[in-house]
Amino acid sequence: MFYQKILDQIQDEIQPLLGQCPPADYIPALAEADNTAFGMSVYTVEGEHYQVGAADTPFSIQSISKVYNLTLAMRFIGDDFLKRVGVEPSGTAFNSLSQLEYEHGIPRNPFINAGALVLTDTIISNSCNPYQVLLDFVRTTSGNETVEYDERVFQSEYDHGHRNAALVSYLRSFGNIKNTSDAVLKTYFYQCALKMSCNDLARSFSYLANAGRLPSSRSPIITSRQTRRINSLMMTCGTYDEAGEFAFHVGLPCKSGVGGGVLAVVPQKMVICAWSPGLNSKGNSMVATRALQLFTEKTGLSVF
Ligand code: GLN
């Protein structure tokens, strides 16, 4: 009950912050999100579950999907992904084009769009139906067979995805995309358009706190070495150009998305997901960030 009390306190404390920041506005389907909504969920490696607020409300996971993308790429090609993507923080916006020019088409890391697009390309090369591979993976790991993608978000991303299309063309000019641009973009937008709740996400990613195994199953999703590597990338690159602030204030590996979700891992202990659609100027949920900071301050949990 310790964690439940903490979640309840956090919900009280963040109330004055709700509604202060606008949701993402680059597509109508995200701009309509309710910026007074808030949810938070905790899954421990012992299988305990705690939740507060709208923890069961599905939202657009957006860039949190880049963690699925990296997991699947590691499962398919192991360390070979390192030949095509780096592991350094970018220090630029997640959809930046300029860095690719002077780094010769090797994206800085798997959590900026360019890096995720390259890893999407590797998944397409290694599977007959990449959509189904992803959907099966998220349904199995979340234990929720009803997880779906949002057709409207997918279509809007596709219709407005000129910058992502530019990234794919540019990557191709360096030989770092092998499949058709349309296939890569559609698979990438499909990942971003998945709709999941805090409960779904915290449960699904619990392998990141448990050396690569779902607490409910004996079979590994990825190795413990791969798990440490994903967590390290979440710490250094998971929250766009705000990773330093997250390390300082939250102190856990995190991955955010412009749908307002933020996932956090306490290695060997638990996975936490907080969600509220209002975004700060860096594209991270203002309230979810604050909620995670309160959680680590109240519990003393940190990787440092
Ligand atoms: N679909 C968004 C994009 O590619 C994902 C953005 C995000 O959550 N950072 O621009």
Side-chain angles (χ1 to χ4, degrees):
M1 287 320 282
F2 172 67
Y3 292 122
Q4 188 59 53
K5 273 206 185 112
I6 285 180
L7 292 185
D8 292 340
Q9 284 173 9
I10 291 171
Q11 188 180 34
D12 286 347
E13 289 177 39
I14 55 87
Q15 287 305 312
L17 304 177
L18 294 174
Q20 284 190 12
C21 291
D25 61 0
Y26 70 100
I27 52 172
L30 292 182
E32 288 159 12
D34 173 8
N35 65 351
T36 64
F38 168 75
M40 193 163 180
S41 180
V42 170
Y43 265 91
T44 72
V45 296
E46 285 89 27
E48 291 158 12
H49 172 222
Y50 307 93
Q51 67 177 77
V52 77
D56 226 2
T57 303
F59 57 89
S60 190
I61 73 168
Q62 293 294 325
S63 278
I64 296 176
S65 66
K66 292 181 170 73
V67 187
Y68 288 127
N69 195 36
L70 176 58
T71 300
L72 292 174
M74 281 179 163
R75 275 160 66 104
F76 281 125
I77 61 169
D79 283 357
D80 280 356
F81 83 91
L82 294 166
K83 294 178 185 155
R84 294 174 59 182
V85 183
V87 291
E88 283 297 336
S90 74
T92 56
F94 60 84
N95 53 6
S96 165
L97 277 151
S98 54
Q99 211 161 38
L100 277 181
E101 168 75 351
Y102 56 83
E103 295 189 345
H104 310 293
I106 303 293
R108 273 276 172 121
N109 67 67
F111 293 152
I112 52 173
N113 287 14
L117 289 161
V118 167
L119 294 190
T120 300
D121 188 56
T122 71
I123 294 169
I124 298 171
S125 297
N126 285 280
S127 54
C128 306
N129 186 342
Y131 300 86
Q132 200 58 46
V133 168
L134 176 67
L135 199 58
D136 287 348
F137 185 82
V138 299
R139 285 181 174 173
T140 308
T141 52
S142 67
N144 182 355
E145 283 300 311
T146 69
V147 171
E148 259 303 344
Y149 80 109
D150 186 324
E151 171 65 34
R152 199 167 149 240
V153 171
F154 170 84
Q155 198 55 52
S156 284
E157 298 267 12
Y158 189 66
D159 294 343
H160 295 85
H162 311 301
R163 185 169 273 268
N164 285 311
L167 284 169
V168 171
S169 294
Y170 209 28
L171 286 161
R172 183 186 303 288
S173 76
F174 292 100
N176 206 2
I177 290 285
K178 319 281 182 204
N179 294 281
T180 68
S181 298
D182 206 49
V184 174
L185 287 167
K186 280 187 171 148
T187 309
Y188 171 78
F189 292 137
Y190 180 85
Q191 296 165 9
C192 292
L194 280 173
K195 278 183 76 172
M196 298 173 75
S197 66
C198 291
N199 288 340
D200 292 332
L201 286 164
R203 183 164 175 196
S204 174
F205 282 111
S206 52
Y207 63 89
L208 294 177
N210 197 39
R213 287 166 199 266
L214 287 175
S216 54
S217 137
R218 297 182 70 95
S219 53
I221 302 283
I222 47 175
T223 66
S224 57
R225 176 173 175 266
Q226 288 172 326
T227 307
R228 289 194 299 278
R229 290 181 150 197
I230 292 180
N231 286 335
S232 78
L233 284 167
M234 285 172 64
M235 177 61 89
T236 53
C237 317
T239 45
Y240 316 132
D241 196 14
E242 208 177 9
E245 295 275 335
F246 265 80
F248 190 82
H249 292 294
V250 178
L252 297 173
C254 292
K255 183 73 202 85
S256 56
V258 295
V262 186
L263 183 80
V265 180
V266 188
Q268 279 79 56
K269 287 201 162 54
M270 66 185 72
V271 171
I272 311 155
C273 184
W275 166 67
S276 186
L279 304 183
N280 66 18
S281 60
K282 294 286 172 71
N284 290 311
S285 167
M286 190 266 269
V287 175
T289 304
R290 179 71 187 140
L292 288 168
Q293 181 183 356
L294 287 168
F295 188 86
T296 51
E297 280 174 4
K298 288 172 189 293
T299 57
L301 292 169
S302 166
V303 296
F304 297 107

